[in-house]
């Protein structure tokens, strides 16, 4: 692949009187078409695994309504469950190093993850199709918790391998066996990471579109037809593990073909293998990483099974201490300047992702008070996914030309401003706008516009750090660096869920729960404190990330 030099790019100046349509085409070509031209067949296997992760949200709307209508689980409990579901993502740390150690055989882990995902889906199918039989063995709520914990472990295992496959997918030599220069390699790594996010969001677009079609006229469906629709959606979701397995199978075939081509060019078997697998130096076991990962697992499981008060908080603090200790050991291999950049970047992203949210109560309020049904939530999800995908292209140059600190401040302010209409609707904003516009600007209109404006913002923060790791981390520790930094930033999501749990403890929100046997109300709906909950989440999400950026800017640390 030929790439123009930076010098040539700088000396290329467009005349000021270039027609506007020509400038528009030039922008479209540089931001969108160029990414397609940089696509390589070797990128396809990891993109399939990433796409499977994107499709994982296929049953999320079903899960939301199933929990709301059939399970007696509070918003605080669901926030706690989300905390536990997020903990497996910290397991990326030892798993990433394991992938580095078994580099050539890492595809086996995708099969393990696929089996766990399939088991989670089968549990949910059983809850929907035969709840009475499932209840004979365990309460339905317990089955749901099992399913909710199985799936993230499977996705973590597959995600670790996919991250490693992105390194392997970027060729080090051309068809003639000549090495690519550093600038070309850097461009290919950035393209690969961007396409990975595109694959995840693209899977989300497909899922949202399918949900819109599946939930047509759902408000008129009798309960039995709704259950049948839910069952069909979970049946379709069984394609998720199949797609990821097909990705690694295709990757194995392509790697074997690449090996044969390199061997035919005159390279020895060892040299060809090093080129094909992206490894020229064998990875040595880092017992700090493996031992620390084992301590993390034992600590987490032990505390989780105990009845100790504040066990989730203890797990979070202990997990953070272990991850920080291992990060400190790992980053010693970096140059001092790179070390400052990586730590500063990770801290800023951690704080941004750690902000609490209103939790499930806001969705329940939208369903009960604003009348948002399954199909409309699917439409919101579709708009969000499509515009997020578009935003990946639109913000590509923005991410490349701005520091992470600048990007996070921009995202923080924009997200806070765009959340205001949702808060406004709690106080009747939609009623005022509907009366002034003849019913045009109602709750659904406001939600659609707000989703359209906000959706491209959330997915772009991680791309610069992923590209930096892919290009700058030591060649024999790529998967380990991906995993350790992901463990750190994913612990931020656990912090977010803890914060969400505490906000929901301070401001209690309940939805109506009925006994399925006699249709009697066992828990009345109460959304009176939701406004305080939303204000608190918004203000924390605005103030704390900006303060974190200011602290990093005043310290010796930097951001990528």
């Amino acid at each position: 692949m030929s790439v123009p030099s930076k010098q040539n790019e700088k000396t290329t100046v467009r005349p000021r009187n270039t027609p506007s349509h020509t400038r528009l085409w030039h922008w479209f070509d540089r931001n969108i078409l160029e990414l397609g031209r940089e696509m390589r067949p070797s990128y396809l296997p990891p993109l399939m695994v990433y796409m499977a992760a994107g499709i994982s949200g296929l049953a999320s709307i079903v899960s939301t309504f199933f929990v709301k209508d059939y399970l007696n689980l509070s918003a605080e409990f669901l926030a706690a469950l989300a905390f536990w579901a997020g903990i497996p993502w910290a397991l990326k740390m030892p798993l990433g190093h394991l992938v580095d150690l078994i580099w050539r055989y890492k595809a086996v882990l995708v099969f393990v993850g696929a089996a766990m995902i399939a088991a989670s889906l089968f549990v949910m199918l059983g809850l929907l199709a035969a709840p009475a039989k499932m209840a004979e063995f365990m309460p339905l709520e317990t089955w749901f918790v099992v399913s909710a914990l199985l799936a993230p472990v499977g996705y973590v295992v597959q995600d670790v391998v996919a991250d490693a496959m992105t390194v392997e997918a970027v060729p080090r030599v051309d068809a003639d066996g000549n090495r690519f220069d550093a600038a070309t390699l850097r461009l290919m790594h950035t393209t690969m990471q961007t396409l990975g996010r595109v694959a995840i969001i693209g899977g989300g677009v497909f899922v949202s579109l399918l949900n819109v079609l599946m939930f047509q006229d759902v408000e008129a469906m009798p309960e039995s037809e709704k259950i049948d629709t839910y069952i069909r959606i979970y049946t379709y979701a069984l394609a998720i593990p199949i797609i990821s397995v097909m990705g690694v199978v295709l990757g194995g075939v392509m790697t074997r073909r690449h090996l044969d081509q390199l061997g035919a060019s005159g390279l020895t078997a060892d040299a060809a293998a090093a080129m094909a697998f992206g490894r020229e130096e064998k990875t040595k076991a880092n017992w700090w990483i493996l031992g620390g990962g084992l301590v993390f697992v034992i600590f987490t499981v032990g505390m989780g099974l105990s009845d100790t008060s504040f066990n989730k908080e203890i797990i979070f603090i202990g997990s953070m201490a272990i991850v920080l200790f291992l990060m400190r050991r790992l980053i010693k291999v970096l140059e001092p300047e790179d070390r400052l950049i990586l730590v500063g970047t990770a801290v800023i992203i951690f704080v941004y992702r750690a902000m609490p949210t209103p939790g499930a109560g806001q969705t329940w309020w939208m369903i009960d008070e604003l009348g948002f049904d399954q199909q409309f939530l699917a439409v919101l999800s579709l708009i969000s996914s499509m515009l997020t995908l578009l935003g990946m292209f639109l913000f590509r140059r923005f991410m490349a030309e701005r520091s992470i600190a600048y990007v996070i401040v921009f995202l923080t302010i924009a997200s806070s401003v765009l959340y205001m209409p949702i808060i406004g609707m709690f106080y009747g904003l939609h009623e005022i706008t509907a009366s002034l516009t003849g019913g045009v600007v109602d709750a659904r209109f406001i939600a659609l516009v707000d989703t359209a404006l906000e959706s491209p913002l959330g997915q772009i923060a991680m791309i610069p750090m992923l590209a930096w790791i892919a290009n700058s981390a030591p060649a024999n520790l790529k998967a380990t660096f991906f995993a350790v930094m992901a463990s750190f930033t994913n612990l931020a999501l656990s912090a977010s869920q803890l914060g969400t749990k505490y906000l929901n403890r301070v401001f209690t929100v309940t939805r109506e729960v009925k006994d399925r046997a006699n249709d009697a109300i066992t828990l009345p709906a109460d959304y009176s404190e939701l406004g305080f909950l939303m204000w608190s989440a918004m203000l924390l999400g605005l103030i704390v990330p900006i303060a974190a950026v200011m602290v990093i800017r005043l310290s010796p640390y930097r951001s990528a």
Side-chain angles (χ1 to χ4, degrees):
M1 181 176 72
S2 61
V3 178
S5 67
K6 290 186 177 181
Q7 182 177 1
N8 289 339
E9 288 182 0
K10 290 180 180 178
T11 55
T12 301
V13 180
R14 297 190 311 274
R16 291 187 177 180
N17 59 352
T18 302
S20 58
H21 67 275
T22 302
R23 292 197 299 271
L24 180 62
W25 172 254
H26 179 79
W27 177 90
F28 182 78
D29 181 68
R30 289 188 67 205
N31 288 276
I32 298 179
L33 298 183
E34 185 181 85
L35 190 62
R37 289 195 297 270
E38 293 167 2
M39 172 71 184
R40 289 173 170 270
S42 61
Y43 298 170
L44 189 57
L47 293 181
M48 291 179 68
V49 182
Y50 281 138
M51 179 166 284
I55 301 174
S56 65
L58 177 60
S60 60
I61 293 178
V62 174
S63 177
T64 296
F65 277 84
F66 179 76
V67 170
K68 177 182 178 297
D69 294 337
Y70 300 110
L71 301 181
N72 187 18
L73 300 175
S74 68
E76 181 182 339
F77 179 87
L78 291 174
L81 180 59
F83 168 84
W84 288 111
I87 285 295
W89 288 96
L91 290 174
K92 287 189 72 171
M93 178 177 48
L95 287 173
H97 193 56
L98 177 63
V99 168
D100 276 324
L101 294 174
I102 62 168
W103 189 259
R104 297 192 187 184
Y105 311 103
K106 58 186 177 293
V108 174
L109 294 177
V110 173
F111 288 86
V112 175
M116 301 184 79
I117 294 168
S120 172
L121 294 171
F122 277 120
V123 168
M124 289 304 298
L125 277 169
L127 290 178
L128 289 165
K133 290 184 178 180
M134 297 289 282
E136 292 176 3
F137 298 94
M138 286 191 300
L140 299 186
E141 289 80 3
T142 304
W143 278 115
F144 177 77
V145 170
V146 170
S147 175
L149 296 179
L150 268 177
V153 176
Y155 286 117
V156 167
V157 172
Q158 294 199 342
D159 191 67
V160 170
V161 179
D163 288 343
M165 289 171 69
T166 63
V167 177
E168 191 177 73
V170 174
R172 302 170 68 86
V173 296
D174 59 21
D176 299 323
N178 301 316
R179 287 180 176 272
F180 288 112
D181 59 62
T184 302
L185 279 174
R186 184 166 58 250
L187 175 63
M188 288 192 291
H189 278 301
T190 302
T191 299
M192 178 72 256
Q193 296 304 321
T194 303
L195 288 172
R197 303 307 103 185
V198 169
I200 293 174
I201 304 304
V205 170
F206 170 77
V207 161
S208 301
L209 183 59
L210 182 60
N211 273 323
V212 170
L213 296 175
M214 294 293 292
F215 286 127
Q216 277 187 333
D217 301 323
V218 67
E219 68 278 359
M221 289 183 184
E223 196 63 27
S224 60
E225 287 189 23
K226 289 182 182 179
I227 294 295
D228 289 340
T229 301
Y230 295 168
I231 291 172
R232 283 199 301 273
I233 289 174
Y234 268 103
T235 303
Y236 296 157
L238 290 172
I240 295 169
I242 295 174
I243 292 173
S244 58
V245 167
M246 289 174 60
V248 295
V249 171
L250 177 61
V253 172
M254 296 179 74
T255 300
R256 173 55 57 184
R257 182 179 299 173
H258 192 200
L259 273 172
D260 294 341
Q261 291 174 347
L262 292 171
S265 68
L267 292 175
T268 64
D270 289 341
M275 292 290 185
F277 290 103
R279 288 292 167 92
E280 298 183 15
E281 180 182 349
K282 187 175 181 180
T283 302
K284 296 179 181 178
N286 186 323
W287 295 107
W288 286 107
I289 296 290
L290 295 175
L294 179 61
V295 170
F296 172 81
V297 172
I298 294 174
F299 172 74
T300 302
V301 174
M303 289 300 304
L305 295 177
S306 72
D307 293 327
T308 306
S309 300
F310 302 103
N311 59 351
K312 287 180 285 297
E313 290 78 2
I314 295 172
I315 287 173
F316 173 75
I317 295 171
S319 302
M320 179 63 74
I322 294 171
V323 171
L324 288 176
F325 173 75
L326 295 176
M327 280 178 61
R328 186 172 180 272
R329 303 283 308 184
L330 183 64
I331 63 176
K332 287 182 178 180
V333 302
L334 296 175
E335 295 296 325
E337 183 179 357
D338 289 339
R339 206 177 302 157
L340 293 175
I341 291 174
L342 186 58
V343 171
T345 301
V347 169
I348 290 174
I349 292 178
F350 178 91
V351 173
Y352 176 73
R353 290 162 66 94
M355 292 302 96
T357 69
Q362 179 177 296
T363 304
W364 297 341
W365 166 72
M366 289 180 172
I367 293 170
D368 288 344
E369 302 297 323
L370 301 183
F372 292 0
D373 56 23
Q374 293 94 326
Q375 186 181 33
F376 184 70
L377 290 179
V379 170
L380 288 180
S381 178
L382 175 62
I383 293 173
S384 176
S385 297
M386 292 183 67
L387 292 178
T388 300
L389 187 60
L390 179 62
M392 303 290 286
F393 295 98
L394 298 180
F395 286 102
R396 186 175 172 226
R397 296 286 175 181
F398 175 78
M399 291 183 289
E401 297 169 0
R402 301 287 192 277
S403 68
I404 281 288
Y406 186 98
V407 171
I408 292 299
V409 170
F410 171 80
L411 293 177
T412 298
I413 295 174
S415 298
S416 299
V417 170
L418 292 173
Y419 187 56
M420 292 299 293
I422 302 298
I423 297 178
M425 285 198 292
F426 179 79
Y427 297 101
L429 173 65
H430 57 294
E431 297 173 354
I432 298 173
T433 56
S435 64
L436 295 175
T437 60
V440 174
V441 184
D442 58 2
R444 295 195 174 202
F445 182 92
I446 293 174
L448 286 170
V449 173
D450 191 74
T451 298
L453 293 174
E454 186 179 10
S455 54
L457 303 178
Q459 284 288 332
I460 69 176
M462 288 294 291
I463 292 178
M465 188 174 79
L466 293 173
W468 187 93
I469 292 173
N471 187 59
S472 302
N476 62 326
L477 290 171
K478 297 285 190 186
T480 303
F481 265 85
F482 270 121
V484 171
M485 299 314 299
S487 295
F488 179 65
T489 54
N490 283 322
L491 274 175
L493 300 181
S494 297
S496 174
Q497 293 302 332
L498 280 177
T500 301
K501 184 189 82 167
Y502 280 112
L503 282 182
N504 276 271
R505 182 172 294 179
V506 174
F507 306 108
T508 304
V509 176
T510 60
R511 89 286 193 196
E512 183 180 279
V513 177
K514 293 183 178 181
D515 190 317
R516 295 181 66 184
N518 54 26
D519 208 31
I521 297 175
T522 59
L523 183 67
D526 183 3
Y527 298 111
S528 59
E529 296 186 4
L530 179 61
F532 298 111
L533 177 62
M534 292 193 291
W535 272 112
S536 300
M538 190 276 289
L539 291 174
L540 285 172
L542 173 64
I543 296 170
V544 178
I546 294 177
V549 170
M550 294 175 64
V551 170
I552 292 296
R553 293 292 293 271
L554 295 174
S555 73
Y557 296 101
R558 299 166 53 196
S559 65

